[in-house]
Amino acid sequence: MLAQPAVHTRSPGSAKQMASRRSLWKDLKRRPFLYMLLLPVIAYFLVFKYFPLYGEIIAFKDFRLGDGIWGSKWVGLEHFNRLLHSSDLFKIVRNTLLLNLYGLIFGFPVPIALAIMLNEVRVEWYKRVVQNLLYLPHFLSWIILGTIVIGLLSPGSGFINYVLQAFGLDPIYFMGNTFWWPFVYVFSGIWRDAGFSTILYLAAMSSIDPHLYEAARIDGGGKLRQIWHVTLPGIRSTIALMLVLQMGRMFDVGFEHVWVLTNPMVTSVSDVMSTYIYRLGLVNLQYSYTTAIGLVQSLVGLILVLSVNRIIRAMGERALW
């Protein structure tokens, strides 16, 4: 009896990958100079994004400048164990998560609302003026914006307290009050970035088929119904993507924003992981310990992004991958 010849089966996924590789190789040979334009971008990411990952090794070492990275002694998970038993861990994690949670609750819907309102404006010059005014704060540094915020909220000469006193209310020292400081932080962040984030939503709205609005009008739908049944479903995928990116930053608060607005009176609510890393790492020269904190911070952010991305994909929306 003759032996049956071996039959090699190939899954549709692997066949598709091989076809894609062959297509890439053919395209690469056909237009090499076009692909060479990518080389500076690849070099940038290799030098400034991937090569610095090599320094994460010092999280597992007792790093000393004189010994260098490889000459320093290995200490295993000692710095991670120190972080788990640190008395500051609860405070910095709580402050970081709360500030990000406030930003998510109050700040995430604002660009969507601004984009919807701008999308409904029909006078072009007015729309452009408003857009420019909304984008402008994003291009200013936190040094300038922080100074403006502190000046506006000053209890002696600030405009906000001037208005409060005009209505017979007592002035409030916003920057020195642990209740008001988180709100100042969140709303100053909205002021700076909400306008710029509307660009993505406006771009998504521009791709919505105008016939859908016309059909909604024929069916008797007013503006609010058109927004609810046409505009919001049309930008649903963009909202999902922005939510994934926002969740990736839940364990990370921008250093400059906090550092400019903080002061010793509100340290209990303003001391976050980024300021803690700066204070211990650069001021007290505890490089290995703060690298371990940064590594944990990045891993938690990665887990959050993967989890939210998976949830959104399971809900049938277009995720990051």
Side-chain angles (χ1 to χ4, degrees):
M1 187 175 179
L2 295 175
Q4 293 293 327
V7 178
H8 298 284
T9 59
R10 183 176 294 164
S11 66
S14 61
K16 190 175 179 180
Q17 285 180 355
M18 289 191 67
S20 176
R21 285 174 191 164
R22 282 197 295 268
S23 176
L24 174 64
W25 181 243
K26 286 180 183 177
D27 204 40
L28 189 61
K29 287 194 293 185
R30 191 182 308 143
R31 291 177 287 190
F33 295 106
L34 186 63
Y35 282 90
M36 284 176 67
L37 294 175
L38 282 174
L39 291 180
V41 179
I42 294 172
Y44 168 80
F45 276 94
L46 287 176
V47 173
F48 295 105
K49 299 296 180 183
Y50 288 98
F51 182 71
L53 293 176
Y54 160 74
E56 297 289 339
I57 296 173
I58 67 172
F60 305 94
K61 291 192 162 203
D62 185 14
F63 177 68
R64 296 176 185 278
L65 285 173
D67 297 332
I69 292 179
W70 287 109
S72 300
K73 186 178 70 175
W74 288 96
V75 293
L77 300 177
E78 182 181 311
H79 299 299
F80 297 93
N81 189 43
R82 179 187 166 190
L83 174 62
L84 287 176
H85 294 88
S86 170
S87 59
D88 296 324
L89 178 65
F90 174 74
K91 182 183 72 174
I92 60 175
V93 170
R94 180 201 61 193
N95 292 342
T96 303
L97 289 177
L98 279 179
L99 289 179
N100 276 313
L101 186 63
Y102 294 151
L104 186 67
I105 294 172
F106 296 107
F108 188 75
V110 173
I112 302 171
L114 286 174
I116 290 173
M117 288 188 283
L118 285 171
N119 193 49
E120 295 300 325
V121 174
R122 293 292 173 261
V123 182
E124 281 301 320
W125 69 266
Y126 178 71
K127 184 177 179 178
R128 287 175 186 168
V129 169
V130 174
Q131 278 181 301
N132 287 328
L133 289 175
L134 290 173
Y135 300 160
L136 185 61
H138 180 79
F139 299 101
L140 301 177
S141 72
W142 271 117
I143 302 298
I144 298 172
L145 291 178
T147 305
I148 295 173
V149 170
I150 293 171
L152 286 173
L153 299 176
S154 169
S157 57
F159 175 75
I160 303 299
N161 276 307
Y162 176 78
V163 173
L164 290 177
Q165 291 179 65
F167 285 95
L169 300 173
D170 294 329
I172 300 173
Y173 188 14
F174 292 97
M175 304 307 299
N177 189 305
T178 54
F179 174 79
W180 288 108
W181 191 89
F183 292 97
V184 174
Y185 171 85
V186 171
F187 285 102
S188 59
I190 294 172
W191 176 41
R192 183 177 188 265
D193 295 326
F196 191 77
S197 300
T198 58
I199 294 173
L200 292 173
Y201 295 112
L202 284 171
M205 288 175 191
S206 66
S207 65
I208 298 174
D209 188 352
H211 292 97
L212 294 175
Y213 289 104
E214 189 177 344
R217 280 194 296 271
I218 293 171
D219 289 341
K223 280 294 178 189
L224 289 178
R225 283 190 177 275
Q226 290 175 35
I227 291 170
W228 183 257
H229 293 289
V230 179
T231 306
L232 287 177
I235 62 171
R236 193 169 56 189
S237 297
T238 305
I239 294 173
L241 287 174
M242 295 300 288
L243 181 63
V244 172
L245 296 175
Q246 183 78 16
M247 291 304 295
R249 294 194 290 266
M250 281 298 288
F251 223 60
D252 182 24
V253 175
F255 173 76
E256 288 183 4
H257 188 182
V258 177
W259 193 252
V260 166
L261 297 179
T262 192
N263 61 73
M265 297 177 68
V266 293
T267 304
S268 61
V269 294
S270 67
D271 195 17
V272 294
M273 298 193 82
S274 55
T275 55
Y276 186 73
I277 289 171
Y278 168 76
R279 196 168 61 251
L280 267 67
L282 294 182
V283 178
N284 295 336
L285 306 181
Q286 299 182 33
Y287 300 115
S288 295
Y289 178 53
T290 50
T291 302
I293 299 173
L295 195 58
V296 171
Q297 190 179 12
S298 301
L299 287 175
V300 172
L302 178 63
I303 292 170
L304 286 172
V305 168
L306 292 175
S307 304
V308 176
N309 190 70
R310 191 178 181 85
I311 292 170
I312 288 176
R313 195 171 53 185
M315 293 169 66
E317 298 295 337
R318 188 176 61 186
L320 281 177
W321 59 88

